[in-house]
Amino acid sequence: MLVIVAPGQGAQSPGFLTPWLEDPTFAARFEWLSTVAGLDLVDYGTHADAETIRDTKVAQPLLVATGLVTALALFPHPGDAFERIGAVAGHSVGEIAAAAGARVITAEQAMVLVRERGKAMAEASAATPTGMTAVLGGDREEVLAGLARHGLTAANDNGPGQVVAAGTLEQLEAFKADPPAKARLVPLSVAGAFHTHHMEPAFGHLGHLARAVSTHDPRTRVISNRDGQVVHDGREVLRRLVGQISHPVRWDLCLETMEDLGVTGILEMPPAGTLTGIAKRALKGVETFALKTPDQLDDARAFCDKHGESAGMENSPTWRMVVSPTKGTFHRDEAAGATDQLAAGAVIGEVASSRDKLVVTANHGGQVVEWLVEDGDLVSPGQPLLRLHPHGAS
């Protein structure tokens, strides 16, 4: 199975976009998304220095536009992509690129959202001097206890040996003076304490704008940063995109879901390297491909052909599917199993795993066409559970 991932802020470097813009088609598409964002992303991706592209207002649209246009270069016939992609995921702002790639929102909607997200987060960052520090190594429990002791948040949990602490500069300085045993602290070049309560003003602004955004259910599995769950409802994907601004990124749980899915290959969109590096440490035996320059495109397509398989989640205008958010045992709700009509939001059952129990609902409601699993069946993340004929469908 192939998973495509999109990196978050901090992956950018000066001039990384230069070789990509030598392709006239890539350049024209990129200029279009730059126009939508109202920023000269071409200049930022080719001539700007590290400090300039560190600016949240610049970095976030630059990364999302790069991911979206590269996806079209990788898959010249976009519809073919979903016969190969088993799941998508994005780290932090990379989730916006992943959502657009899965066809939850359009590229233009993605650029407006990320433009406003970057501006709002930059404003929130300016309110209080805050920052982030990577904590590499050390005992996990000791690291988390140290963060709690100094009032810091584990804003990114990236898997074995890498937690990112976030908070005020004073809190980070105190933590630096009292580090966990056998841990190395690396201050990050970011504008503020992202994915913490310090970003709540940005959350409110983006949430207001998101009310006007139309969505579609994804064409492949979308693995959520929030908790590693597979989300197959477009409105829920959008809700989580907004909420992640002030909530920690649980990339460790995303990696667990990839393992549960049986991933064999992970391809990272440019500017690539960070997420494939994490995957190499966390998912032993899984092949990775860091797509950095356009001369790698043929090899990247071969990688996709080698690992690709359809997620089996193709949408039809005459029915909808309810899927499992995680790995576990499915227990069907008695009332749902006894009816052929479900109201929007009706509970169809729960998925129980060793970690927790998750209630599964039919967000859209409709006529039951087919149960795709039985009570007590083991299910995987994103596995279809129930097929529904929507109310009002012709």
Side-chain angles (χ1 to χ4, degrees), residues 215-292:
T215 63
H216 295 87
D217 289 346
R219 295 274 300 276
T220 189
R221 300 176 185 90
V222 175
I223 303 173
S224 172
N225 270 186
R226 181 72 175 266
D227 47 21
Q229 290 183 24
V230 171
V231 184
H232 189 55
D233 174 74
R235 294 305 301 179
E236 176 66 8
V237 172
L238 180 62
R239 187 185 71 80
R240 285 168 174 253
L241 286 180
V242 173
Q244 64 142 209
I245 292 174
S246 57
H247 285 87
V249 172
R250 293 302 305 270
W251 194 249
D252 60 325
L253 299 181
C254 293
L255 292 170
E256 285 185 17
T257 296
M258 293 179 202
E259 187 172 33
D260 290 341
L261 285 168
V263 60
T264 60
I266 296 174
L267 185 145
E268 183 179 1
M269 303 301 273
T274 301
L275 300 182
T276 46
I278 293 172
K280 286 177 182 178
R281 295 190 296 271
L283 300 175
K284 303 298 184 183
V286 173
E287 288 191 68
T288 61
F289 194 107
L291 179 55
K292 298 181 178 182

Side-chain angles (χ1 to χ4, degrees), residues 173-343:
E173 280 298 316
F175 182 59
K176 180 180 177 180
D178 177 30
K182 300 180 181 179
R184 182 164 62 96
L185 307 187
V186 181
L188 299 182
S189 181
V190 295
F194 303 150
H195 305 293
T196 71
H197 66 89
H198 295 286
M199 294 295 110
E200 286 178 1
F203 164 77
H205 173 65
L206 204 67
H208 176 74
L209 293 177
R211 296 174 189 170
V213 176
S214 58
T215 63
H216 295 87
D217 289 346
R219 295 274 300 276
T220 189
R221 300 176 185 90
V222 175
I223 303 173
S224 172
N225 270 186
R226 181 72 175 266
D227 47 21
Q229 290 183 24
V230 171
V231 184
H232 189 55
D233 174 74
R235 294 305 301 179
E236 176 66 8
V237 172
L238 180 62
R239 187 185 71 80
R240 285 168 174 253
L241 286 180
V242 173
Q244 64 142 209
I245 292 174
S246 57
H247 285 87
V249 172
R250 293 302 305 270
W251 194 249
D252 60 325
L253 299 181
C254 293
L255 292 170
E256 285 185 17
T257 296
M258 293 179 202
E259 187 172 33
D260 290 341
L261 285 168
V263 60
T264 60
I266 296 174
L267 185 145
E268 183 179 1
M269 303 301 273
T274 301
L275 300 182
T276 46
I278 293 172
K280 286 177 182 178
R281 295 190 296 271
L283 300 175
K284 303 298 184 183
V286 173
E287 288 191 68
T288 61
F289 194 107
L291 179 55
K292 298 181 178 182
T293 54
D295 58 3
Q296 296 176 287
L297 281 170
D298 285 340
D299 289 341
R301 293 186 191 106
F303 183 87
C304 293
D305 289 340
K306 177 181 178 181
H307 295 281
E309 62 180 54
S310 173
M313 299 172 74
E314 180 70 25
N315 288 327
S316 163
T318 59
W319 50 262
R320 291 182 182 271
M321 285 190 300
V322 183
V323 308
S324 175
T326 189
K327 175 184 178 181
T329 303
F330 176 69
H331 299 291
R332 185 187 300 177
D333 181 83
E334 287 187 13
T339 184
D340 60 1
Q341 292 284 341
L342 291 172

Side-chain angles (χ1 to χ4, degrees), residues 5-9 63 89-96 98 117 132 155-158 162 164 195 223 225 244 249-252 254 268 274-275 278:
V5 297
Q9 192 168 341
L63 289 167
H91 192 286
S92 187
V93 73
E95 273 205 320
I96 295 180
R117 181 187 196 269
M132 303 176 81
N156 297 171
D157 193 332
N158 291 329
Q162 190 184 117
V164 176
H195 305 293
I223 303 173
N225 270 186
Q244 64 142 209
V249 172
R250 293 302 305 270
W251 194 249
D252 60 325
C254 293
E268 183 179 1
T274 301
L275 300 182
I278 293 172

Side-chain angles (χ1 to χ4, degrees), residues 79-99:
D80 296 341
F82 300 107
E83 293 303 310
R84 295 175 175 83
I85 301 173
V88 295
H91 192 286
S92 187
V93 73
E95 273 205 320
I96 295 180

